[in-house]
Amino acid sequence: MTDALAIPAAGSLQAVNTDRLAAAIDASLAPATRTAYRAHAERCGAYLAERRLPLADEAIADYLAHRADQGDAPATLKQAYSAIGAVATAQGFPDPRGPVTRRALQGLVRAGRHRGRGPAAGIRRASLEAAAALAAGAGSPFGLRDAAILRLGSDCLLRVSEIAAVQVADLAADDDGSGRLRIGASKTDQDGRGVTLYVCAETMRTVRAWQAASGIDSGPLFRRLSRAGNVIGDRPLTAASIRCIVRQRGEAAGIAGRLSGHSLRVGSAQSLVRRGADLPALMQAGRWRDAATAAGYAAGELAGRGAVARFFGGAD
C-alpha cells in the first residue's frame, strides 16, 4: 500500500505515508491483523477528515460510536481501538486514545453484548413527537434542550455531528412560525456550499423555549448543563453526548430497538416514505447523493410501495 492516508492531527490535515506504517507495524503483527489495522486506520482517517475533526480523544470516541451505529460487533470495536493507537504511534503521533475513548469503548462493548449487532432502530415521527413532549413536559432546562435536539434532528434528518455544530445564527424564523436551518459543510458537502432545510413550527417553538430557559442567544445552540441546569461555558455538546441523549430519551419514551444518534435520521426517512415521499424527495430531505444509500434507510417502507405490494398484495 503506497497511497497516502489522510489523518487529521493537531487541528490540521496531514498526509501520512502508509509505507512508514507498514515498516513500523508489519514485524509485530500477523498478516491478517496488519490488513485489518490498515483498514481501520483508513476508515477512521476518512471519518475524521470528512468532519474536520482532530486526531484526539473525543473525536476517536465519536468515531467508535459511529462504527457501533453502523453495526460493528464488540470485537470489531476493540480491534479498531487497538488499531488507532498502534497506527497513530507508529506514524509519530501521540496516542489519541484517552479517558473519553476508553469509557466510550466500555459502554459500546457492553451495549453491543446486550443488544447484538444490527443497524440502529429508527425513531419514527409519532414516537419522536411523544419522546420530545415527554422530555419537555417538566419544563426543566435539560428536558427543553433535549426536546429541541430530538425535534430539530428529526425535522432536518441531521447527523449527530451536524446537531452538535448548529449555531444560533444558523436558524431563522419565518412569518408563519416555521423556520429554516442553514447547514454548511457536511459528509456529502465537502465543498461547504451549504443547504437550507425546513424546520416545523412546533420545533421552532421548542427551540425558542430552550433558548429562553438557557439564555443562549449566540454561538452553539446546544451546550452542556450543570446539575442545577445552568449552561457550562460556550462549547457545544459533543456528538457522543448527543447520541446518549437520543438513546436515553427514546428509551424513556418506551421506543424499542437499538437506539443511537442515527435513529433520528433513520426514523425520519422511514416516516417520510410511509407518508408518501418518493425516492427523489427522500434523497433531497436527507441530502443523499446515492439512491441506493437513501433507499437503504427506508427499505421496508419502499418495499411496501413496490410492484409486488401494489399488484400482488390484494386478492385476484
Side-chain angles (χ1 to χ4, degrees), residues 26-137:
D26 274 9
S28 61
L29 298 175
T33 305
R34 291 198 299 268
T35 300
Y37 271 34
R38 290 190 186 113
H40 285 302
E42 288 170 354
R43 282 196 293 267
C44 181
Y47 180 87
L48 299 179
E50 285 173 353
R51 293 157 180 80
R52 295 178 171 85
L53 295 175
L55 187 63
D57 191 18
E58 287 189 354
I60 301 304
D62 186 60
Y63 170 72
L64 292 178
H66 166 74
R67 292 308 314 171
D69 287 350
Q70 301 304 306
D72 280 6
T76 304
L77 295 175
K78 289 181 179 180
Q79 187 179 63
Y81 173 85
S82 299
I84 291 165
V87 169
T89 54
Q91 297 181 143
F93 294 110
D95 190 338
R97 303 168 303 169
V100 177
T101 301
R102 287 193 292 273
R103 288 196 301 270
L105 179 66
Q106 290 171 355
L108 293 168
V109 168
R110 185 165 54 249
R113 285 172 178 164
H114 287 309
R115 298 182 181 186
R117 296 185 64 180
I123 300 179
R124 300 191 183 189
R125 190 65 183 189
S127 297
L128 178 283
E129 291 175 345
L134 181 63

Side-chain angles (χ1 to χ4, degrees), residues 72-286:
D72 280 6
T76 304
L77 295 175
K78 289 181 179 180
Q79 187 179 63
Y81 173 85
S82 299
I84 291 165
V87 169
T89 54
Q91 297 181 143
F93 294 110
D95 190 338
R97 303 168 303 169
V100 177
T101 301
R102 287 193 292 273
R103 288 196 301 270
L105 179 66
Q106 290 171 355
L108 293 168
V109 168
R110 185 165 54 249
R113 285 172 178 164
H114 287 309
R115 298 182 181 186
R117 296 185 64 180
I123 300 179
R124 300 191 183 189
R125 190 65 183 189
S127 297
L128 178 283
E129 291 175 345
L134 181 63
S140 71
F142 289 97
L144 292 171
R145 180 197 64 187
D146 295 357
I149 286 172
L150 293 175
R151 292 199 64 98
L152 192 63
S154 176
D155 281 9
C156 301
L157 282 78
L158 297 179
R159 303 171 179 90
V160 288
S161 58
E162 293 169 341
I163 297 175
V166 171
Q167 304 282 309
V168 171
D170 296 334
L171 198 58
D174 286 345
D175 292 340
D176 64 356
S178 66
R180 300 293 184 273
L181 176 66
R182 180 70 178 172
I183 295 290
S186 67
K187 181 178 179 180
T188 54
D189 179 23
Q190 293 302 296
D191 295 331
R193 289 173 294 180
V195 62
T196 299
L197 306 172
Y198 178 82
V199 180
C200 297
E202 181 58 33
T203 298
M204 289 297 295
R205 286 191 287 272
T206 305
V207 169
R208 297 312 187 206
W210 153 241
Q211 288 185 263
S214 64
I216 294 174
D217 57 9
S218 64
L221 180 58
F222 300 118
R223 308 184 196 179
R224 292 176 58 206
L225 295 171
S226 69
R227 291 186 178 181
N230 299 315
V231 174
I232 301 175
D234 58 1
R235 296 183 64 182
L237 281 175
T238 64
S241 294
I242 293 172
R243 283 189 179 92
C244 290
I245 288 169
V246 173
R247 184 176 66 250
Q248 291 168 359
R249 291 298 183 180
E251 290 174 348
I255 300 171
R258 190 180 73 81
L259 301 180
S260 76
H262 217 54
S263 294
L264 297 178
R265 192 164 161 83
V266 173
S268 287
Q270 293 169 342
S271 293
L272 284 171
V273 172
R274 178 160 290 194
R275 296 187 186 192
D278 59 15
L279 188 54
L282 179 62
M283 291 175 65
Q284 186 276 331

